[in-house]
Amino acid sequence: MPQQREKNLANVISSLQKDNFEYSLVSWINGHLLIDNLTILVSERQRQPKYLFAHSMEKRVHAHFEKLYCTGTYLLDPFFSLDKSGSPEGLYRLKDIAPDQFYRSDYYLTYYKDTTIIDEMVYLLRYSEHISIHVCLGRDSMSGHKFSVRDYREALKLTPVLSALASQHWSGLLNEKPGGADQETDAIARLWNDLEKSYGIVLTARQCQTALLILQGHSSAAIARILGISRQTVKVFRKQVYVRCSISSQTELFSLMMPILLRSGFQGFLSVPSHKS
């Protein structure tokens, strides 16, 4: 077994900057712990994530990946939120970072559950202030088993090597010039304009933030902690959002907001504008 692992690592190193790198990476990781699928994304400041590689035996895992996830539903992904919150580089488990009501959210019930993914661990690899790479290890219906503590420990050992390999293989991509700093403000303006243009709905910054956090699967208590406000204030914002949108449930909010998110590629929800809301 150790000899095979060393051989797999040698194959990964020899395939750097080549088309078969990602497949060699899958074999190397599988030599340490079983994964059913591997997804690799690059996340840049105020831009939609770029899909670099996707591998899975179960076709449903990536069936709507480019059409839905990369164009809008990534905004509701716990790992994307983790990245944008400025969390340090490392390996993260879904069970440790998912919102407290994630499995009851419409994002999970409408999109995530359909992928058949039952567990994820993601390497968040930071290469600059603006660019990070997500290497997502998944378990789905093919194995039907979640990652064990032993799997997590094995994956944790791979972190420094994986980070070094990624920086070498995608060195050109990591040297690209980041987007302008003013794109966030533009994104917020686009969202508000799209809401008003499409539905005649006007929401404040806090109401927009509350709406997205609800859709991500956060409870009122969790939203209060994230925004630094009281739970009662969150309830007020939630009620205001429902009234302004003429809806009465989270499911209706999801149906209303998803077309807007997909069109705008909005990434500024979680930022607090300087003006009062």
Side-chain angles (χ1 to χ4, degrees):
M1 180 68 75
Q3 288 183 339
Q4 184 59 49
R5 288 178 177 178
E6 292 171 1
K7 182 178 179 180
N8 289 341
L9 179 57
N11 288 338
V12 176
I13 294 172
S14 65
S15 64
L16 283 166
Q17 304 293 331
K18 298 179 181 177
D19 292 341
N20 65 328
F21 170 77
E22 290 84 359
Y23 291 101
S24 297
L25 193 65
V26 171
S27 297
W28 174 60
I29 294 173
N30 268 323
H32 293 266
L33 70 153
L34 174 66
I35 59 173
D36 293 330
N37 58 77
L38 179 71
T39 309
I40 304 176
L41 301 166
V42 59
S43 175
E44 302 178 62
R45 182 179 64 184
Q46 305 311 323
R47 293 181 180 176
Q48 295 174 343
K50 290 182 182 178
Y51 144 71
L52 298 179
F53 178 74
H55 169 76
S56 59
M57 297 298 291
E58 168 55 69
K59 293 182 179 180
R60 286 174 290 176
V61 171
H62 295 111
H64 304 291
F65 185 68
E66 290 186 82
K67 182 178 180 181
L68 293 181
Y69 181 87
C70 290
T71 57
T73 58
Y74 67 90
L75 295 165
L76 307 180
D77 180 6
F79 293 107
F80 178 83
S81 298
L82 178 83
D83 185 351
K84 295 308 175 184
S85 71
S87 297
E89 180 174 280
L91 176 67
Y92 294 89
R93 295 180 292 185
L94 178 63
K95 73 174 193 175
D96 294 331
I97 60 97
D100 53 352
Q101 295 185 356
F102 175 71
Y103 293 101
R104 295 169 56 189
S105 69
D106 283 279
Y107 167 69
Y108 174 79
L109 296 172
T110 304
Y111 171 78
Y112 195 96
K113 189 177 180 180
D114 257 5
T115 67
T116 80
I117 294 175
I118 60 173
D119 201 8
E120 280 189 281
M121 295 191 293
V122 173
Y123 294 98
L124 172 58
L125 308 174
R126 295 197 180 280
Y127 295 100
S128 74
E129 181 184 353
H130 312 294
I131 299 178
S132 60
I133 286 179
H134 298 191
V135 179
C136 315
L137 314 183
R139 287 272 180 84
D140 55 51
S141 58
M142 289 298 293
S143 67
H145 297 292
K146 292 186 176 183
F147 290 113
S148 65
V149 173
R150 179 184 177 281
D151 292 328
Y152 172 68
R153 289 172 179 168
E154 284 295 313
L156 200 58
K157 295 176 185 177
L158 306 182
T159 305
V161 178
L162 185 60
S163 180
L165 290 169
S167 66
Q168 288 295 314
H169 184 69
W170 290 294
S171 57
L173 180 67
L174 301 177
N175 289 329
E176 288 183 1
K177 185 178 179 180
D182 62 344
Q183 290 185 11
E184 180 177 349
T185 302
D186 292 342
I188 295 172
R190 283 200 306 273
L191 175 71
W192 290 351
N193 289 338
D194 281 352
L195 281 170
E196 186 170 7
K197 183 178 179 180
S198 299
Y199 305 119
I201 297 171
V202 178
L203 297 179
T204 68
R206 283 297 201 188
Q207 290 165 352
C208 284
Q209 290 174 306
T210 301
L212 184 64
L213 289 167
I214 290 170
L215 293 176
Q216 288 174 337
H218 292 281
S219 65
S220 292
I223 294 173
R225 288 194 299 272
I226 293 169
L227 297 183
I229 56 180
S230 70
R231 187 172 179 177
Q232 185 59 39
T233 302
V234 173
K235 291 181 178 180
V236 170
F237 284 143
R238 183 191 290 262
K239 183 176 181 180
Q240 290 172 344
V241 169
Y242 283 13
V243 169
R244 293 195 182 192
C245 295
S246 300
I247 58 175
S248 58
S249 70
Q250 180 178 317
T251 298
E252 290 179 285
L253 178 64
F254 183 85
S255 297
L256 179 76
M257 295 298 292
M258 277 313 299
I260 297 295
L261 295 175
L262 291 171
R263 282 203 303 274
S264 66
F266 178 70
Q267 300 186 42
F269 255 117
L270 297 180
S271 307
V272 182
S274 58
H275 64 275
K276 292 184 179 179
S277 56

